[in-house]
Amino acid sequence: MKLTFQDIERNETIKTYIRKADESLIALGYTEHCFNHVGRVAMTAKRILLELGYSEREAVLAAIAGYMHDIGNVINRVDHAQSGAVMAFRILDNLKCDPEDIATIITAIGNHDEGTAFPVNPVAAALIIADKCDVRRSRVRDKSTVALDIHDRVNFAVSRSTVTVLPKEQLIKLNLEIDTEICSVLEYFEIFTERMLLCKKAAEKLQTRFSLIINEQQIL
């Protein structure tokens, strides 16, 4: 069966795993990973592929992978990409999803975390970029932690974040506006260097370049 993104988005089992996974991350002190995050990642991953000329089906699979990519956190933050891929396989198989589609989706989910990630296919590449580029103030749950936690501080400092796809220039661009009184550009790179290099590798898989612009200055 060729599942649609709406089939996945409406599925109550998947909603429960997303919500419960985020509850675990709340307890661990992580930034927001609930419906706002996975929804943004899904739509950004889909848009990246569509704007680069990939098929509608590949874009839908990227959206599905984006929506389900963090369900493994319900088991444990460690190796959540791999456990999430196994969970996604069971869910999608029970929904009679096409095996080719299942393989593409779980491969992308299993390869999205920077510790073990690799852009093995276009869907995985789009998911990586969409996930790693979701940096924004609204992901911070508790403003009182901003001074204490560098991840909260970096996210809270970002007042604007946009991902732009420029097919003619073969470029994917992350444009950030950062309040440097809250967080320095150096602090951003202290925690996000690995993620930005992964985005660069993912862009290469899509036969494009990745560019990072912070406060109107090109950094990468």
Side-chain angles (χ1 to χ4, degrees), residues 26-218:
I26 290 172
L28 292 169
Y30 280 81
T31 52
E32 182 265 324
H33 282 71
C34 205
F35 296 107
N36 197 354
H37 171 62
V38 300
R40 284 172 179 261
V41 172
M43 291 302 99
T44 301
K46 179 181 179 179
R47 178 170 59 85
I48 287 170
L49 292 189
L50 286 178
E51 293 187 8
L52 288 176
Y54 287 85
S55 70
E56 177 70 28
R57 190 61 193 163
E58 287 174 294
V60 168
L61 297 182
I64 292 172
Y67 191 74
M68 299 180 72
H69 79 281
D70 270 340
I71 59 174
N73 284 305
V74 77
I75 296 174
N76 199 294
R77 180 63 179 173
V78 177
D79 296 330
H80 76 280
Q82 289 75 29
S83 55
V86 174
M87 290 174 65
F89 168 79
R90 183 177 183 276
I91 295 166
L92 296 170
D93 190 47
N94 286 341
L95 292 173
K96 308 301 183 186
C97 182
D98 179 79
E100 287 280 343
D101 288 352
I102 292 177
T104 299
I105 293 165
I106 64 174
T107 297
I109 293 173
N111 280 279
H112 85 270
D113 186 58
E114 56 263 32
T116 55
F118 193 86
V120 293
N121 58 42
V123 171
L127 172 56
I128 286 168
I129 295 170
D131 182 38
K132 305 316 169 193
C133 289
D134 187 23
V135 187
R136 52 188 160 82
R137 181 166 294 175
S138 56
R139 293 195 72 180
V140 178
R141 305 181 197 266
D142 184 356
K143 294 179 183 178
S144 68
T145 64
V146 169
L148 303 174
D149 184 273
I150 187 170
H151 289 85
D152 281 350
R153 187 161 58 253
V154 168
N155 276 279
F156 193 74
V158 177
S159 58
R160 189 173 71 89
S161 172
T162 57
V163 177
T164 305
V165 181
L166 302 169
K168 290 183 179 179
E169 290 86 348
Q170 294 182 300
L171 180 67
I172 299 172
K173 182 166 60 174
L174 172 61
N175 197 322
L176 301 177
E177 288 184 6
I178 290 181
D179 185 341
T180 54
E181 292 187 4
I182 297 173
C183 159
S184 68
V185 173
L186 184 61
E187 277 189 303
Y188 177 89
F189 274 98
E190 186 176 337
I191 62 170
F192 284 150
T193 295
E194 188 177 7
R195 298 183 191 185
M196 295 298 97
L197 292 176
L198 185 57
C199 286
K200 184 178 179 181
K201 189 178 295 184
E204 290 171 357
K205 180 66 179 181
L206 298 172
Q207 298 183 327
T208 61
R209 294 172 292 112
F210 179 78
S211 175
L212 172 64
I213 296 173
I214 298 179
N215 294 349
E216 299 184 351
Q217 292 189 358
Q218 184 164 340

